Amino acid sequence: PLDQIAAIIGGNGCIVRNGYMVKTWGSQSAKADWASAAKPVLSTMLFYAVMEGRLSGVDDRIADWAWSLSAKDQLMTFRHLADMTSGYTRAEAPGAAWAYNDYAISLYSHTLFDRVFAQTPDAATTDPNRLGALQFQDGSVFSSRGGYGLSTSVRDFARIGWFWAGRGYWNGTRRIPNRFFDDFRHPD
């Protein structure tokens, strides 16, 4: 059955079970742009920003980070950007409606990395006190889209996925408190 799954999916891939790679196909080290899969990585980094005291919480306002925003967007928060309810560049007020919005994700990423962490996305993410603890095998994680796009290997992204599946637990250590998963990893 695993060979059939690999044949149907094609390209590069892997299957992890109980923390072990049980099936691989294609190149495990080739990097690719993961597009929308970057969004949960951004939110994981948001949790680190809160844990490190860089933000008081996910409801901190984006306007407090020296952006020139419209009057409508003054109350927009990190939560709004993460939930895609920001209304940024749209008619809706923050929190009023869900809308897939690449402009908002760009604002989220630039605010989080350029202003909150004051580091490149890759440097902030691969810091050994953050996701770097996952010991990525293939180097950088953010290198596409001008350094703001998640571009990593299948096996390194599998590490991130396993970290989420473990609710922030990695290699015998709790890296992110359960409360972040309890409070924020659910549909509203």
Side-chain angles (χ1 to χ4, degrees):
L2 294 181
D3 290 336
Q4 290 173 332
I5 291 170
I8 290 168
I9 294 173
N12 304 321
C14 65
I15 297 173
V16 177
R17 182 164 193 251
N18 297 325
Y20 295 95
M21 200 79 73
V22 296
K23 175 69 180 169
T24 63
W25 62 95
S27 172
Q28 296 300 291
S29 62
K31 292 186 176 201
D33 185 282
W34 287 80
S36 289
K39 293 169 181 67
V41 176
L42 292 176
S43 293
T44 303
M45 293 304 295
L46 175 61
F47 297 158
Y48 279 110
V50 172
M51 289 170 37
E52 294 171 11
R54 295 170 185 271
L55 296 170
S56 64
V58 300
D59 293 314
D60 282 9
R61 293 179 333 132
I62 301 302
D64 293 342
W65 291 91
W67 291 111
S68 177
L69 298 172
S70 69
K72 171 191 76 74
D73 291 331
Q74 291 299 310
L75 298 178
M76 180 177 34
T77 67
F78 284 91
R79 181 192 301 260
H80 292 132
L81 290 170
D83 288 351
M84 293 227 166
T85 61
S86 69
Y88 185 62
T89 71
R90 300 183 53 86
E92 299 87 6
W98 184 93
Y100 192 95
N101 184 335
D102 284 334
Y103 294 107
I105 291 301
S106 180
L107 178 64
Y108 185 19
S109 183
H110 282 276
T111 306
L112 194 57
F113 294 119
D114 297 351
R115 303 207 175 170
V116 175
F117 286 110
Q119 292 180 290
T120 67
D122 200 60
T125 304
T126 60
D127 181 298
N129 294 310
R130 299 179 189 126
L131 290 179
L134 279 57
Q135 300 173 324
F136 299 117
Q137 290 178 265
D138 299 309
S140 65
V141 177
F142 279 91
S143 62
S144 62
R145 303 176 190 223
Y148 290 86
L150 184 68
S151 180
T152 193
S153 65
V154 170
R155 64 185 174 196
D156 282 348
F157 194 78
R159 289 172 183 265
I160 296 170
W162 190 251
F163 179 68
W164 292 329
R167 299 170 51 91
Y169 189 77
W170 184 262
N171 202 22
T173 302
R174 166 103 6 240
R175 310 287 312 171
I176 295 179
N178 266 329
R179 70 180 171 86
F180 286 105
F181 294 91
D182 294 341
D183 293 347
F184 304 112
R185 191 180 73 170
H186 54 81
D188 284 334

